Amino acid sequence: MTRPTSEAEYLARMVPPSVRGVDRRTLLRGALGVGALLGAGGLAACGNGGTSGQGVPTGAVTGTVTVGSNQSDAVPKAAVKAYMDAFSKANAGTTVKINTVDHNTFQENINNYLQGSPDDVFTWFAGYRMQFFASKGLVGDISDVWANMQGMSDAMKKASTAEDGKQYFVPITNYPWAIFYRKSLFKEKGYEVPKTLDDLNALGAQMKKDGLDPIAFGDKDGWPAMGTFDQINLRVNGYDFHVSLMAGKESWTDPKVKKVFDTWAGILPIHQPDSLGRTWQEAAQSLQQKKSGMYLLGAFVAQQFTKGAEQDDLDFFTFPEVDSTIGTDAIEAPIDGFMMSARPKNEAAAKKLLQYISQPEAQLLALKADPSVIATNDKADTSGYTALQKKSVEFVKSAKSIAQFMDRDTRPDFASTVMIPAIQDFIKNPKDIDGLLTKIEAQKKSIFTS
Amino acid sequence: MSDQTLTSNPVDPVRARESALLRPREGGARSGRRWLLPVVLTIVSLIWLFPLLLALVNSFRDYAYTAKNGYISWGGFTLDNYKNAWEQGDFGLHFWNSAIITVPAVLLTLFLSACVAFVVARFSWKINIALLGFFMAANLLPPQALLIPVYRMFRSIEVPFWFSESGTLLNSFQGLILVNVAFQTGFCAFVLSNYMKALPKELYESAVIDGAGITRQFFQITLPLCRPALAALAVLQTTWVYNEFFWATVLLQQGDKFPVTSSLNNLRGQFFTDNNLVAAGSMIIAIPTLVIFFLLQRHFVAGLTLGATKG
Amino acid sequence: MATTRKYKGIDQLSGRDKIVVGLMVVVPTLIVLWLVWLPAIGSVLLSFTNWDGIGPLSGIKTVGLKNYQDIATIYPPFWPAIQHNLIWLGVMFFIATPLGMLFAVLIDRGAAGTRFYQTSIYLPVVLSLALIGFVWQLIYSRDQGLLNAITGGSTDWYGDPSVNLWAALLAASWRHAGYIMLLYLAGLKGVDPSLREAAKVDGASERTTFFRVVLPVMRPINIIVLVVTFIESLRAFDLVWVINKGRNGLELISTLVTQNVVGEASRIGFGSALATIMLLISSVLVFVYLRIAMKED
């Protein structure tokens, strides 16, 4: 028999068989009765939704629903509380219990968390990792929540779908990666937004003459440079090859991959030198201080700029075109959202909560915390958006294909133990590309075949 | 002349020894150069303190100011960092969690390792070497290697719900305390056994002749004499268990159960870190370990041992 | 209430005493066995699998020595990590530990202000890693750090793999010396002053007293300090992790284990193989120590 998952069930086990009914529902009802008799308190876990597979309840839900959140910063934490409170108000009788763990720890411990006693609903990201959990049975199928979802684009639905065709993820916010710059600096020096790789190189040369570092760069943490690789790969080889490479289906010694690194080596001279000792925050600060001209990063770079005039001075353009047959319609825009654990204690309320999260009301509350991201629901009211956010919305909407970022698109063990050191090696020594690719391929074979 | 034997000053050997040790040694350093030692030590101490002073000063500075003018500037002082750190990091709750974890863990560790060390040092049995090796080697593996096996083990051990609200040892303070104890006992047993070995057997002879059993020998002879070592270990253990983070994150699953080290992570933003705020938070976190250190420092100074049997 | 017992020697044990001694040994041993050794054996066994930490134990597949092969041949950070650990050991052994011992000896002399000195030197050990990391970042940062501001240079102390190990070692020695000082000081305080006074009466200088009288008596403590230095060098982890998670010139075996085991990467089998290698190296140390200890008895 499986381990009891709640106090009620535990107590139920103690009830002798002669008193117990046979099926699970009777068992639990009996347990609640016995529990009451024994004076046991604890979570009341049954909503009206009943057992799984019954879909999102249209009626009221009750009980406590637990939420695991990685939004540990002060402002996002308040925002989460705001929309969770709004949900409780809209559904009288439900309480939302938020379990906040600092974002780093939450991510690092996700395996242990999901295999322990996870909350009913928890924050996570779209991408490979989401699909991985689905295939391992660690998260719950929420296709029924998607059945009637309004305002989510097909791209969003695709990003929330696992290999078995079912949905396991509800998006809430996302943000694009692009090359950011300060409008005032460009105006002052008469720079123009580059459209092709040659334009970028020319602009870089111009900036260098003016005493600036053309492209800020800080890869001490290992992951920022992955963004550069992704962008170049999307431009040089296209979205399909990129996805395939991330999935381990292509060889890293393929000449296509070599071309990516060759291209990167070509523009490395216009990046800030000594990037391996510089954090991305320091690099962003060099952009803010007008010591560098451009920075390839996610929209969160705006957080390094003070609100108001400084943030409004920020603008971005997509990574320039390298191959005219491929163009620039593929972008990277990581999506954040929520998932449901495999065996939630209050499935009905959990699904209703997820449905609520997909709606504009909750999303706009989330945006209050972080004005550098945008809502994922198309129906969200964008009138309150800053200029940067409005541009992000356009940017994401007009993209044909959206990638999630290397460490979410491929196996995390490959991304962190192989790619991070490999890319750092490349930055240190951009000459030995063949040797590097052979090493990556050997390790990739070892990992992906396990 | 100072007479340090027990018979002439049975009332407070601790004080006698302490004052003897604190008195500058007569005729030690050549009198002209007696100032050299304090000067050297002061310089060393200041060098050692310098990085921390740098951080302390900056924890009182406003981030906007240092971001603009760099850290080598002067100005922008404020107490806000401390106030904000306390609130944002939810220090009240997490300090309490840390106390629940650290105090029992340290006490239990010291007690258990003293037991083992006593047996190993007191008796000359063949098994002693194996025992010592057993405990020492337990300390050699990086804890990270043991995280997952212990996690799995705890997850499968069922305990009653009044003991742990998850029904297993996972997500319980008791499990975390036990793990810390297991991990630190090896090191402490090893260190204490060496200190205890330095105690001469004659000490125990008089006790045994008096009819003292093992329990009395342990509590009345060995432990008091190991006071410096126990104090030093108490300081070290408190620091380690208190600052430990990996076990806590793996074995506890709820954010409001995490110890105070997680508060620092709460101060570190996902995309934006106010370093001065983190510095202030780190200073706050350091306070308990500093307090323990100052409280126990007296015991490093006093050392009473072998004189007890002379004369 | 002295029960008259026939004195047969100090190792005689009554029945009750035998139980007490038994418990004193068995309880700690069981706890350590259960929570350290069993998982350690589990770890060693896992090193022969490619488990990712998820799913039932029955679903684990064994891969024989593949992990070890991969580590030795295609895992680029491994051999640099071994090298760095050896350098770490050398610096700790020849510089940091003797420094700590020296401080302990100097402080033990009893000059005024001894508490201030002890506190200052020990403080780095007490403080959390986050603070230590911030502190040295203030000093070592390429763009905003003190060192470059004073020297006017632009050395990338943390990012340049040819200097960052030494930068980290400076910070580590700063910490390690305090830790050794504490252990050694406690040992020195346990040395009977009458020994020293006897030597002085005999006309020995401070130096001779220390080397001829105190040091030999401190032999068990000396051995502790040496073993602790070796172990800490092997297990060196915290500072490097805080700097850059042990990459780009700061690879150490313990950081490699952590990178693989902790976090989303979850290469439990592979990480366990790295940990087993660490265990094997450490076991050599334990063996050597036990030989020395056996010779004593």
Side-chain angles (χ1 to χ4, degrees):
Chain A
M1 188 145 75
T2 54
R3 191 158 30 92
T5 52
S6 72
E7 179 129 34
E9 232 182 283
Y10 171 72
L11 292 167
R13 298 266 175 88
M14 303 200 306
V15 176
S18 53
V19 177
R20 274 206 302 243
V22 178
D23 74 292
R24 182 170 162 254
R25 208 172 290 184
T26 328
L27 179 74
L28 281 175
R29 244 190 268 130
L32 286 178
V34 174
L37 275 181
L38 294 178
L43 309 169
C46 287
N48 284 354
T51 48
S52 44
Q54 286 207 351
V56 187
T58 41
V61 287
T62 57
T64 309
V65 58
T66 50
V67 175
S69 161
N70 69 349
Q71 301 296 303
S72 54
D73 297 9
V75 178
K77 195 169 163 194
V80 171
K81 188 157 189 334
Y83 57 83
M84 292 302 171
D85 281 348
F87 173 78
S88 298
K89 243 202 245 162
N91 295 274
T94 46
T95 25
V96 182
K97 188 156 167 276
I98 308 177
N99 168 25
T100 309
V101 176
D102 76 86
H103 59 269
N104 221 35
T105 306
F106 189 86
Q107 269 158 253
E108 298 216 320
N109 262 307
I110 192 66
N111 287 341
N112 295 334
Y113 172 75
L114 289 177
Q115 296 184 87
S117 37
D119 301 295
D120 296 334
V121 164
F122 61 97
T123 51
W124 201 240
F125 325 105
Y128 171 88
R129 204 55 175 161
M130 181 270 296
Q131 297 167 357
F132 176 78
F133 289 151
S135 65
K136 290 275 178 170
L138 289 172
V139 291
D141 174 10
I142 51 173
S143 310
D144 42 9
V145 178
W146 274 87
N148 298 322
M149 203 176 285
Q150 312 273 353
M152 286 292 183
S153 66
D154 284 337
M156 288 294 157
K157 188 163 185 184
K158 192 154 157 231
S160 311
T161 310
E163 281 176 359
D164 60 359
K166 304 202 187 110
Q167 285 78 36
Y168 290 87
F169 178 81
V170 171
I172 188 169
T173 57
N174 72 337
Y175 56 92
W177 272 65
I179 301 187
F180 287 81
Y181 65 98
R182 290 194 71 164
K183 288 187 283 208
S184 56
L185 181 68
F186 268 46
K187 193 154 170 220
E188 184 189 319
K189 303 274 193 209
Y191 298 142
E192 290 204 359
V193 167
K195 294 265 165 13
T196 67
L197 194 62
D198 294 327
D199 290 343
L200 185 64
N201 274 316
L203 178 61
Q206 218 183 336
M207 284 183 173
K208 262 195 170 157
K209 253 197 246 139
D210 292 335
L212 298 168
D213 285 317
I215 305 181
F217 200 30
D219 197 38
K220 181 157 174 257
D221 303 320
W223 55 266
M226 287 177 172
T228 312
F229 176 86
D230 284 354
Q231 295 286 334
I232 300 180
N233 198 14
L234 285 174
R235 294 288 174 263
V236 169
N237 294 316
Y239 175 79
D240 291 328
F241 180 78
H242 177 71
V243 166
S244 186
L245 181 66
M246 292 294 114
K249 301 205 183 100
E250 309 284 346
S251 165
W252 280 79
T253 47
D254 192 309
K256 282 190 177 171
V257 182
K258 182 151 193 275
K259 192 148 169 245
V260 175
F261 279 101
D262 281 332
T263 314
W264 197 354
I267 53 173
L268 209 51
I270 55 173
H271 283 72
Q272 246 180 335
D274 294 332
S275 57
L276 295 180
R278 184 180 301 112
T279 58
W280 70 263
Q281 288 96 333
E282 285 173 319
Q285 279 155 27
S286 74
L287 184 70
Q288 182 217 20
Q289 289 159 12
K290 297 196 180 174
K291 294 211 179 99
S292 28
M294 306 173 268
Y295 194 13
L296 171 61
L297 200 71
F300 50 83
V301 70
Q303 295 191 16
Q304 298 291 323
F305 290 69
T306 40
K307 272 212 174 85
E310 237 185 36
Q311 270 188 6
D312 287 337
D313 191 28
L314 209 52
D315 197 5
F316 64 87
F317 56 88
T318 188
F319 195 88
E321 179 185 285
V322 177
D323 185 336
S324 54
T325 56
I326 296 180
T328 58
D329 55 24
I331 65 165
E332 285 220 304
I335 305 173
D336 295 346
F338 286 80
M339 300 178 80
M340 187 176 79
S341 58
R343 277 188 310 269
K345 294 204 182 76
N346 188 348
E347 186 172 331
K351 287 191 172 164
K352 199 107 197 256
L353 178 60
L354 286 171
Q355 186 183 55
Y356 174 71
I357 286 170
S358 69
Q359 301 309 310
E361 182 192 329
Q363 300 196 355
L364 287 173
L365 281 171
L367 287 186
K368 284 216 173 93
D370 186 2
S372 60
V373 303
I374 54 175
T376 48
N377 193 313
D378 288 340
K379 296 219 171 82
D381 177 15
T382 61
S383 57
Y385 278 9
T386 63
L388 210 59
Q389 282 175 307
K390 289 200 177 123
K391 189 156 176 193
S392 299
V393 172
E394 266 316 300
F395 191 65
V396 172
K397 248 206 206 130
S398 57
K400 281 232 193 70
S401 338
I402 304 180
Q404 288 296 297
F405 197 74
M406 187 188 285
D407 64 6
R408 298 183 191 184
D409 277 331
T410 188
R411 293 177 61 130
D413 47 5
F414 179 67
S416 72
T417 63
V418 179
M419 287 315 295
I420 289 186
I423 292 182
Q424 286 188 335
D425 272 343
F426 168 73
I427 294 174
K428 267 184 290 191
N429 177 19
K431 299 228 170 41
D432 181 22
I433 297 179
D434 286 320
L436 181 73
L437 291 179
T438 324
K439 282 194 214 140
I440 298 179
E441 177 63 18
Q443 294 181 81
K444 174 219 123 189
K445 273 214 197 69
S446 175
I447 292 179
F448 275 85
T449 51
S450 57
Chain B
M1 275 299 295
S2 53
D3 188 344
Q4 300 306 314
T5 57
L6 205 55
T7 46
S8 71
N9 194 2
V11 179
D12 196 350
V14 181
R15 292 264 174 263
R17 183 94 0 151
E18 197 174 317
S19 48
L21 289 169
L22 276 182
R23 226 179 292 139
R25 305 284 163 99
E26 307 103 330
R30 275 166 263 153
S31 29
R33 293 241 234 116
R34 210 181 288 168
W35 54 266
L36 187 63
L37 185 61
V39 166
V40 166
L41 281 176
T42 310
I43 294 180
V44 168
S45 302
L46 288 176
I47 294 178
W48 244 249
L49 279 180
F50 173 71
L52 298 171
L53 288 176
L54 202 61
L56 183 65
V57 164
N58 279 306
S59 71
F60 286 107
R61 294 170 70 187
D62 185 32
Y63 185 77
Y65 187 87
T66 54
K68 200 146 145 247
N69 305 337
Y71 279 102
I72 322 299
S73 54
W74 189 262
F77 288 99
T78 170
L79 281 177
D80 282 345
N81 284 336
Y82 282 88
K83 194 167 70 75
N84 294 338
W86 183 274
E87 284 165 7
Q88 268 183 279
D90 208 354
F91 275 91
L93 171 70
H94 293 296
F95 263 136
W96 180 241
N97 290 338
S98 274
I100 298 180
I101 298 169
T102 309
V103 173
V106 173
L107 291 176
L108 207 53
T109 304
L110 287 178
F111 179 65
L112 290 178
S113 44
C115 289
V116 174
F118 172 73
V119 171
V120 167
R122 169 85 172 70
F123 303 106
S124 322
W125 296 333
K126 292 227 181 60
I127 196 181
N128 285 357
I129 296 293
L131 211 53
L132 209 54
F134 179 84
F135 278 95
M136 259 186 72
N139 215 38
L140 298 176
L141 270 184
Q144 293 86 322
L146 307 183
L147 285 179
I148 300 300
V150 172
Y151 168 83
R152 279 308 183 106
M153 227 190 337
F154 275 16
R155 205 184 68 168
S156 44
I157 298 178
E158 290 187 27
V159 292
F161 273 90
W162 56 262
F163 190 72
S164 155
E165 67 177 14
S166 67
T168 64
L169 271 180
L170 204 64
N171 207 25
S172 70
F173 283 125
Q174 296 89 327
L176 186 57
I177 293 173
L178 271 178
V179 166
N180 275 310
V181 168
F183 238 86
Q184 304 295 346
T185 303
F187 174 71
C188 290
F190 166 60
V191 171
L192 279 175
S193 72
N194 277 291
Y195 281 106
M196 288 183 184
K197 270 212 199 103
L199 302 178
K201 295 275 170 135
E202 295 79 28
L203 264 180
Y204 300 109
E205 272 198 25
S206 24
V208 172
I209 295 178
D210 277 351
I214 285 294
T215 322
R216 270 185 63 193
Q217 292 173 35
F218 180 60
F219 282 106
Q220 292 186 352
I221 300 181
T222 317
L223 280 188
L225 292 180
C226 281
R227 204 177 345 158
L230 283 172
L233 283 174
V235 175
L236 284 173
Q237 290 309 307
T238 312
T239 308
W240 285 341
V241 177
Y242 178 76
N243 280 328
E244 193 291 312
F245 191 53
F246 276 128
W247 283 115
T249 56
V250 168
L251 295 180
L252 295 173
Q253 304 227 299
Q254 281 168 268
D256 54 9
K257 277 194 164 143
F258 281 4
V260 81
T261 33
S262 80
S263 298
L264 271 186
N265 282 341
N266 284 339
L267 294 179
R268 244 186 244 121
Q270 185 173 12
F271 287 125
F272 174 71
T273 301
D274 179 347
N275 281 322
N276 300 4
L277 187 69
V278 173
S282 311
M283 293 294 171
I284 297 180
I285 288 185
I287 292 177
T289 36
L290 287 176
V291 165
I292 302 278
F293 178 69
F294 286 126
L295 281 179
L296 294 179
Q297 217 182 10
R298 186 174 89 85
H299 298 283
F300 306 152
V301 177
L304 51 114
T305 50
L306 317 167
T309 55
K310 300 278 187 232
Chain C
M1 57 133 245
T3 41
T4 38
R5 227 177 260 156
K6 237 196 3 228
Y7 180 59
K8 291 198 218 94
I10 63 166
D11 279 354
Q12 63 167 352
L13 289 177
S14 68
R16 211 189 95 184
D17 275 352
K18 286 208 182 84
I19 298 179
V20 170
V21 170
L23 279 177
M24 283 172 90
V25 172
V26 165
V27 171
T29 307
L30 279 182
I31 293 184
V32 172
L33 184 69
W34 172 41
L35 290 175
V36 179
W37 280 105
L38 277 177
I41 294 175
S43 216
V44 174
L45 291 176
L46 282 176
S47 72
F48 297 110
T49 71
N50 61 3
W51 195 35
D52 59 1
I54 299 181
L57 294 177
S58 51
I60 302 179
K61 286 192 300 184
T62 51
V63 290
L65 291 173
K66 174 158 174 277
N67 287 332
Y68 293 98
Q69 251 174 318
D70 285 351
I71 289 173
T73 52
I74 64 173
Y75 188 51
F78 178 66
W79 292 108
I82 300 271
Q83 199 187 11
H84 298 155
N85 271 106
L86 286 175
I87 296 178
W88 200 279
L89 178 64
V91 171
M92 290 297 125
F93 187 66
F94 289 111
I95 301 180
T97 294
L99 203 58
M101 287 165 77
L102 177 66
F103 290 157
V105 168
L106 290 180
I107 292 178
D108 181 51
R109 295 272 207 89
T114 178
R115 288 206 191 158
F116 171 66
Y117 308 134
Q118 280 180 45
T119 313
S120 327
I121 299 179
Y122 184 65
L123 221 45
V125 187
V126 164
L127 302 174
S128 79
L129 263 310
L131 184 60
I132 306 287
F134 171 62
V135 158
W136 287 95
Q137 177 77 17
L138 278 182
I139 297 179
Y140 279 135
S141 163
R142 179 193 185 270
D143 301 330
Q144 304 171 356
L146 188 64
L147 206 51
N148 277 349
I150 291 182
T151 59
S154 65
T155 322
D156 192 3
W157 296 104
Y158 273 165
D160 183 350
S162 54
V163 296
N164 59 7
L165 187 64
W166 303 103
L169 277 170
L170 184 70
S173 305
W174 175 69
R175 232 171 160 233
H176 188 78
Y179 172 39
I180 296 292
M181 178 212 73
L182 192 74
L183 284 178
Y184 213 63
L185 196 58
L188 280 173
K189 292 303 178 190
V191 172
D192 186 4
S194 55
L195 278 178
R196 284 189 242 230
E197 305 213 349
K200 218 169 292 158
V201 163
D202 281 349
S205 70
E206 283 279 358
R207 240 174 159 210
T208 325
T209 314
F210 179 70
F211 282 103
R212 290 274 179 79
V213 175
V214 176
L215 206 53
V217 167
M218 291 269 290
R219 194 183 139 94
I221 317 294
N222 294 336
I223 297 187
I224 295 184
V225 161
L226 288 177
V227 175
V228 161
T229 304
F230 272 99
I231 293 182
E232 287 302 311
S233 311
L234 248 190
R235 282 180 23 156
F237 169 77
D238 297 346
L239 200 67
V240 160
W241 187 257
V242 158
I243 293 176
N244 71 351
K245 297 230 164 100
R247 299 190 188 112
N248 185 32
L250 288 179
E251 294 91 355
L252 293 174
I253 305 182
S254 49
T255 61
L256 294 184
V257 172
T258 313
Q259 278 171 22
N260 281 289
V261 166
V262 171
E264 282 187 77
S266 212
R267 291 175 79 179
I268 306 294
F270 191 77
S272 302
L274 284 162
T276 309
I277 293 178
M278 239 181 102
L279 180 61
L280 284 174
I281 301 179
S282 319
S283 312
V284 171
L285 282 173
V286 178
F287 185 65
V288 166
Y289 168 76
L290 292 177
R291 288 287 299 276
I292 300 179
M294 273 204 304
K295 275 208 204 105
E296 241 179 59
D297 293 340

